[in-house]
Amino acid sequence: MNCYMNTISIIIDDQKLETDPGKTILEVCRENGIDILTMCHLKGVLDIGACRLCLVEIEGVNKLLSACTTKVAANMIVRTNTDRIKKYQRITTELFFAERNHVCAVCVANGKCELQDLGYKVGLDHIRYPHLFPQCEVDTSHPWYVMDHNRCIMCTRCVRVCNEVEGAHNWDVMNRGHQVRIISDFNSPWGESETCTSCGKCLHACPTGAIWPKAIVQGQLQKNPGMINELVEKRKMKL
Amino acid sequence: MVKYKKMRKKKLATVWLGGCSGCHMSLLDIDERILDVAQLADIVKSPIVDGKEMPDVDIALVEGSVTSDEHYREILHIRKKAKTLIAFGDCAVMTNVTGMRNYFPLKEVFDAAYVNAVSNDAEGQVPDHPSLLKLNDKVVPLQEVVNVDFVIPGCPPNADTIFYVLFEFLNDRLPDLGKAKKLKYG
């Protein structure tokens, strides 16, 4: 009889791993040093599988599944770095750039941007799709922060952190397709929000330069997305 | 046995379309390494040399995006004349700052610059002299008009990156920015 009743074995990239059931493929990969690209994943808030960067191949399943929302199962055979997956990661990254107006040269997050880092990782040198060039709003109505929809990639990390960690639910999502937008309250200026506590967690959760503090100038942006998980863990200890 | 053959000196052109010339400044930042380039190539057309007509060249570095009828004609001409056309800098690759006017109708853009500008006196008007180039409605990167053989993103690209790409091409090798860890936007 198996003496490790509580663990299951899975194979990721030809590597045999023992792990606890109930974890996601992404968690297991990160624990074992297997690099998986993510954008919408933020430790401390729920995963929604929105960005499609963490897609993996699972033997016996004929479509790609997101590693952040798929739980491991016994004897699962997962591949994370096939040519097919790399192709899709590159396409996804290009579409991020083509959908909104990402002008790195004039962005506060230039050099400290997760989208830029992602581009470098997938080897993106140009974008094969025509840019949409949408006319996006820049909401400067909040006294301390700015929401620039030009730079938003709809990862919804701000929405989840505001809802799950701060509990304010100031942010939400409006519309569908390429017209989708992050909104404050019922699509009113951020500065007039009745729910926003101005805590600034959304700013730290934001992977790009979409949400940033007015007090800084270009190149000085410091974001600390890791603090979200720290907060969550500290609150658990108090209970 | 590989027989040493003296390589023909290549011809190099650098062109400045809808950009700020920052990429050319960065090109000059390769400093003394320009002597290495000069050993392998003649710079036959560039904003920094006294060249007139665009001759047939091996490599053309094209800075800036296509913003007007003049740029459009120019890039088609360059494509015919250049064996290898390199999109040079973020504007040429993905429009960058020059493309920021694409979010607005062209009339609004002109009015903002010439009619409603804060610095204007009371009678601002849009210049329309026939000798002026005509702005296109939308700014497009080079790749939407012609086939581009290689891209160097960056605003501006690092001098090291520019030298790396030039040196590889001049030695008949194909550079790989991803593998060389030289990718940069902004």
Side-chain angles (χ1 to χ4, degrees):
Chain A
M1 203 178 148
N2 190 351
C3 58
Y4 298 104
M5 283 292 285
N6 291 329
T7 65
I8 55 171
S9 63
I10 63 165
I11 297 172
I12 302 178
D13 295 343
D14 301 324
Q15 201 179 331
K16 201 168 179 191
L17 303 168
E18 295 284 329
T19 181
D20 302 324
K23 284 186 179 170
T24 63
I25 297 173
L26 180 67
E27 281 173 318
V28 176
C29 285
R30 291 260 158 105
E31 280 166 15
N32 290 283
I34 297 166
D35 190 30
I36 286 199
L37 300 178
T38 57
M39 213 65 195
C40 70
H41 169 76
L42 179 66
K43 215 171 174 196
V45 296
L46 287 176
D47 285 312
I48 52 165
C51 72
R52 314 314 286 168
L53 275 167
C54 67
L55 291 180
V56 291
E57 280 180 17
I58 299 170
E59 213 155 272
V61 181
N62 63 7
K63 59 178 181 179
L64 301 174
L65 294 176
S66 52
C68 67
T69 54
T70 310
K71 296 245 161 76
V72 288
N75 304 320
M76 203 179 230
I77 300 172
V78 183
R79 283 186 197 90
T80 69
N81 57 2
T82 61
D83 287 345
R84 184 174 165 216
I85 288 169
K86 282 180 189 156
K87 188 181 94 182
Y88 281 119
Q89 284 172 338
R90 163 101 197 224
I91 290 173
T92 307
T93 311
E94 283 178 55
L95 291 174
F96 280 142
F97 276 96
E99 189 173 348
R100 301 271 175 110
N101 308 312
H102 296 281
V103 186
C104 300
V106 294
C107 180
V108 280
N110 188 7
K112 282 165 188 156
C113 172
E114 288 185 34
L115 184 60
Q116 269 181 330
D117 292 342
L118 174 70
Y120 303 152
K121 273 188 193 163
V122 299
L124 177 123
D125 53 1
H126 70 292
I127 291 125
R128 292 169 291 179
Y129 307 103
H131 289 255
L132 283 184
F133 294 122
Q135 198 168 356
C136 294
E137 269 178 45
V138 182
D139 187 344
T140 57
S141 58
H142 192 282
W144 306 334
Y145 311 127
V146 178
M147 172 75 189
D148 186 345
H149 293 274
N150 290 293
R151 301 163 182 170
C152 175
I153 57 160
M154 293 308 299
C155 66
T156 69
R157 274 155 56 158
C158 55
V159 177
R160 283 172 286 153
V161 90
C162 188
N163 181 27
E164 296 169 26
V165 185
E166 177 63 9
H169 206 137
N170 168 60
W171 296 118
D172 216 316
V173 180
M174 170 179 82
N175 293 348
R176 294 178 73 86
H178 69 275
Q179 290 172 323
V180 69
R181 290 289 182 277
I182 297 288
I183 50 168
S184 169
D185 277 351
F186 289 111
N187 195 19
S188 51
W190 189 2
E192 293 167 20
S193 168
E194 290 173 9
T195 50
C196 178
T197 60
S198 304
C199 71
K201 287 190 195 70
C202 51
L203 181 149
H204 287 287
C206 176
T208 68
I211 307 179
W212 48 280
K214 286 181 179 176
I216 58 126
V217 293
Q218 188 180 14
Q220 292 190 348
L221 186 70
Q222 290 291 346
K223 289 196 176 187
N224 181 14
M227 65 99 90
I228 305 297
N229 191 48
E230 270 174 44
L231 267 178
V232 173
E233 293 300 322
K234 279 178 196 160
R235 285 179 188 174
K236 273 185 204 160
M237 280 154 63
K238 278 192 176 169
L239 283 174
Chain B
M1 284 290 282
V2 183
K3 230 180 169 183
Y4 179 73
K5 216 172 164 187
K6 196 162 185 272
M7 271 196 291
R8 181 183 64 89
K9 234 180 167 187
K10 290 194 167 58
K11 284 183 179 164
L12 176 67
T14 74
V15 193
W16 174 11
L17 301 184
C20 70
S21 102
C23 297
H24 274 89
M25 297 297 134
S26 201
L27 172 68
L28 293 177
D29 278 342
I30 68 175
D31 298 333
E32 75 282 0
R33 285 172 291 183
I34 201 145
L35 298 175
D36 296 329
V37 173
Q39 288 212 324
L40 297 165
D42 289 322
I43 302 176
V44 291
K45 159 116 183 144
S46 170
I48 53 172
V49 301
D50 186 21
K52 272 94 185 169
E53 283 292 298
M54 171 101 180
D56 285 315
V57 293
D58 296 288
I59 300 165
L61 286 175
V62 183
E63 175 197 334
S65 39
V66 178
T67 68
S68 63
D69 57 346
E70 192 180 300
H71 293 156
Y72 189 82
R73 282 196 302 273
E74 219 168 317
I75 190 66
L76 291 180
H77 183 64
I78 295 164
R79 179 67 275 186
K80 276 186 204 145
K81 293 286 190 180
K83 269 190 211 152
T84 306
L85 195 159
I86 303 177
F88 181 30
D90 270 350
C91 291
V93 180
M94 39 190 137
T95 72
N96 197 26
V97 175
T98 50
M100 290 178 82
R101 75 163 165 88
N102 284 0
Y103 326 147
F104 311 100
L106 186 59
K107 194 184 174 306
E108 267 182 42
V109 176
F110 267 120
D111 287 351
Y114 291 102
V115 182
N116 305 325
V118 186
S119 59
N120 245 353
D121 53 20
E123 290 165 31
Q125 62 172 31
V126 178
D128 62 345
H129 192 272
S131 68
L132 293 172
L133 45 75
K134 295 261 178 300
L135 288 191
N136 291 341
D137 272 353
K138 298 286 172 204
V139 176
V140 293
L142 303 186
Q143 59 182 29
E144 289 197 25
V145 186
V146 293
N147 283 327
V148 173
D149 301 305
F150 196 79
V151 296
I152 315 177
C155 182
N158 281 334
D160 288 345
T161 311
I162 298 168
F163 180 73
Y164 162 72
V165 172
L166 271 183
F167 202 68
E168 293 298 289
F169 270 116
L170 291 176
N171 286 296
D172 295 320
R173 294 189 295 260
L174 187 64
D176 188 329
L177 294 177
K179 280 201 184 122
K181 300 244 175 290
K182 288 187 187 296
L183 279 173
K184 176 172 107 67
Y185 332 118

